Amino acid sequence: MRNPQPIPQALSEFGRDMLDCLAYHPHRIAPKYFYDAAGSQLFDRICELPEYYLTRTELALYAAHGAEMAALIGPAAEVIEFGAGSLKKVRLLLQALQAPRRFVAVDISGAHLQSAAAELRRDYPELAVDILVADFSDIAALPLGAGDGRRIGFFPGSTIGNFSPPQARRFLSAAARLLAGGGLLIGVDLIKAPHLLNQAYNDAAGVTAAFNRNLLARANRELGCDFDLAGFRHHAFYNPGRQRIEMHLMCAAPQQVSLYGQGFRLHEGDSIHTEDSYKYSIEGFQALAADCGFAPEAVWCDPQQLFSVHWLAAP
């Protein structure tokens, strides 16, 4: 570990976190920085890949069981989607709900969210659609104000898997307080054969690799870094001991990277750890949710046991 220079206070959060990433070993940075406009578009492409079972399996669950989910949610709900993205999944939920009062989309990628919300307003003119460009991982800090009806959280895509176990516990505990009197509908990817997981994060078309490298391209664009993107290799693998996919950018050749006047040496074989995606058993996730203040009431799963959607009531 090297001693970093003092960080100027005027830096963006991304700039500060990238400085920390480069200054400390092992190098790692939060996956939320994947999602600029280019990264969000690449992720939408990932969701359509044949190897990436998560999205199509989850969409099929909403299509098949939307009426059951809506019955548990109840009428006149205020729906808050965390990590809203393209809003494709919430459309299936909105179709099933009875007279929802309001929809709030929370996401870190503002331009992508604005476009998706505009389309949703056109398709649902009677629904109040609001957007909040923010880091949804800190629920307590979100300026949501008072609820308008029964407040329901929607957290699809198994994004909960991007949180470490302590982070997941903090998120769920905060969500249980925010959603008191309502509940949370959440997608959770399941533990399964490692070869299926490894294929999902190493697609043959290389879209996930481009998505991973775009984080460094974003640093070049926004922060003035000089990463040589061709000098990094996408590396994703399932870690069975920790029940998670790990995603890294491996340095294939030595290079010097500058950021805000500071120079950082990356050696061949150095890794920048960009994402974890934890996988759960149904029983394990329900136990975690119960410990965090929820009352697990229903779970829907595909016949192959690839993916699950949970309804967690918030007393």
Side-chain angles (χ1 to χ4, degrees):
M1 183 179 72
R2 59 171 289 167
N3 294 321
Q5 297 297 313
I7 299 173
Q9 293 184 354
L11 294 188
S12 67
E13 183 184 12
F14 182 29
R16 295 174 66 88
D17 286 353
M18 182 56 74
L19 276 173
D20 283 345
C21 169
L22 292 172
Y24 292 98
H25 188 84
H27 308 295
R28 64 182 305 142
I29 192 164
K32 65 183 180 182
Y33 296 118
F34 283 135
Y35 298 99
D36 64 345
S40 296
Q41 291 172 358
L42 283 166
F43 184 72
D44 286 346
R45 289 178 58 194
I46 288 172
C47 292
E48 299 174 354
L49 293 169
E51 299 96 332
Y52 198 75
Y53 61 86
L54 289 89
T55 302
R56 63 176 176 272
T57 305
E58 186 178 20
L59 285 170
L61 291 173
Y62 296 132
H65 303 286
E68 301 164 42
M69 298 172 186
L72 288 166
I73 290 170
E78 177 190 51
V79 179
I80 304 169
E81 182 174 1
F82 305 108
S86 64
L87 304 182
K88 184 176 181 179
K89 294 169 186 173
V90 79
R91 288 173 174 269
L92 292 173
L93 182 62
L94 292 172
Q95 290 170 14
L97 290 178
Q98 181 182 347
R101 287 189 179 181
R102 182 186 181 213
F103 172 65
V104 183
V106 185
D107 199 271
I108 200 169
S109 179
H112 197 63
L113 188 59
Q114 290 276 8
S115 175
E119 293 182 7
L120 192 69
R121 291 189 186 102
R122 287 195 295 267
D123 295 340
Y124 291 86
E126 297 180 358
L127 178 66
V129 176
D130 296 324
I131 67 171
L132 180 57
V133 180
D135 180 1
F136 61 85
S137 62
D138 186 4
I139 286 184
L142 294 178
L144 291 169
D148 182 17
R150 189 169 185 239
R151 185 171 267 179
I152 304 301
F154 183 50
F155 197 28
S158 199
T159 307
I160 189 69
N162 293 146
F163 296 156
S164 69
Q167 289 171 334
R169 186 173 293 274
R170 286 194 296 270
F171 178 89
L172 291 171
S173 297
R177 293 190 293 270
L178 175 72
L179 305 171
L184 177 66
L185 190 68
I186 182 170
V188 180
D189 198 17
L190 299 177
I191 298 167
K192 59 185 64 66
H195 77 275
L196 294 175
L197 291 166
N198 288 324
Q199 288 174 359
Y201 292 84
N202 293 280
D203 60 278
V207 182
T208 308
F211 173 71
N212 198 8
R213 277 194 292 268
N214 179 67
L215 191 151
L216 301 185
R218 179 185 180 185
N220 287 352
R221 290 190 298 267
E222 295 184 15
L223 305 179
C225 290
D226 52 0
F227 286 105
D228 176 10
L229 303 188
F232 286 89
R233 301 288 181 265
H234 168 72
H235 183 51
F237 61 93
Y238 182 62
N239 183 330
R242 297 192 174 183
Q243 296 180 341
R244 71 187 189 191
I245 283 282
E246 293 185 16
M247 205 149 77
H248 298 253
L249 288 164
M250 304 295 296
C251 190
Q255 61 176 278
Q256 185 83 7
V257 179
S258 61
L259 175 59
Y260 296 117
Q262 299 187 45
F264 302 90
R265 184 70 173 172
L266 294 175
H267 302 279
E268 182 178 1
D270 279 352
S271 161
I272 298 177
H273 191 162
T274 54
E275 183 180 46
D276 289 324
S277 183
Y278 284 85
K279 312 303 174 184
Y280 290 89
S281 67
I282 290 174
E283 297 78 11
F285 183 77
Q286 288 180 325
L288 172 63
D291 285 346
C292 294
F294 283 106
E297 289 190 354
V299 60
W300 299 270
C301 189
D302 62 286
Q304 290 76 36
Q305 298 283 299
L306 298 174
F307 197 90
S308 60
V309 176
H310 297 250
W311 168 247
L312 309 175

